[in-house]
Amino acid sequence: MLYIGHFSFDEVGTKQEIRHGYFTAVVDTVNIERATAEFRELIHSMNKAEEMFKRIVAVYMEDIIEFHHVPGKAIVTRIQSSAGEFPKSITHNLPGIVTPGINIYGLGPDVRANEKEQSKDEYMETRIFIKFRERPTR
């Protein structure tokens, strides 16, 4: 079965500022107990090997979704709403992962084929994909 785990975390930034973030992990395994163990192992190994994960001080499991089969049509697996303007944040796709058959797609320059082309602390505003209306003004 396919398991998608959604996690949040607390971290200390490069300038010792308090930060927080979110990440998603995926695994194909036999049951929820094995998926949980795989996610735990992955997080520990990323904390040892990846610079971005070394700054994480706590990880919280938000949820794990179990798929008995992959949906034939697109579905939303998570939505989160927060108060206020969207904060500046940094995103890394597939950190430390180089696996044939796993590809990243996006609106360039939002998605880079090689994350090393971008500074680990460089903020880049994401382009609009769909715009339904103008944002309300205060």
Side-chain angles (χ1 to χ4, degrees):
M1 283 178 271
L2 185 67
Y3 294 89
I4 298 176
H6 296 115
F7 302 88
S8 59
F9 61 89
D10 298 326
E11 73 175 306
V12 176
T14 56
K15 298 176 184 165
Q16 299 304 302
E17 73 276 17
I18 297 171
R19 298 180 55 89
H20 72 277
Y22 310 90
F23 65 89
T24 302
V26 63
V27 66
D28 184 7
T29 193
V30 295
N31 57 38
I32 186 65
E33 291 80 12
R34 188 68 208 143
T36 302
E38 290 278 343
F39 290 141
R40 188 180 316 280
E41 184 179 316
L42 171 66
I43 293 165
H44 281 291
S45 69
M46 295 292 286
N47 180 258
K48 291 177 183 163
E50 293 298 318
E51 197 58 40
M52 181 176 196
F53 271 71
K54 289 179 182 178
R55 297 191 304 250
I56 293 176
V57 296
V59 175
Y60 309 92
M61 181 189 301
E62 301 291 330
D63 57 57
I64 296 177
I65 301 171
E66 177 184 78
F67 288 90
H68 290 258
H69 64 278
V70 178
K73 293 188 177 221
I75 64 170
V76 173
T77 61
R78 182 172 173 88
I79 186 168
Q80 178 174 333
S81 176
S82 300
E85 294 284 326
F86 197 87
K88 289 186 174 184
S89 62
I90 300 163
T91 301
H92 297 279
N93 295 310
L94 300 175
I97 305 298
V98 180
T99 304
I102 299 177
N103 302 303
I104 301 170
Y105 299 96
L107 301 174
D110 297 340
V111 177
R112 306 226 181 160
N114 182 351
E115 73 172 7
K116 292 181 181 174
E117 294 175 20
Q118 182 175 342
S119 164
K120 298 286 185 202
D121 292 325
E122 179 183 345
Y123 168 76
M124 181 185 304
E125 188 170 350
T126 303
R127 294 183 189 185
I128 294 173
F129 178 56
I130 296 173
K131 186 173 187 176
F132 294 111
R133 65 185 73 78
E134 292 297 323
R135 288 192 324 196
T137 56
R138 296 185 192 263

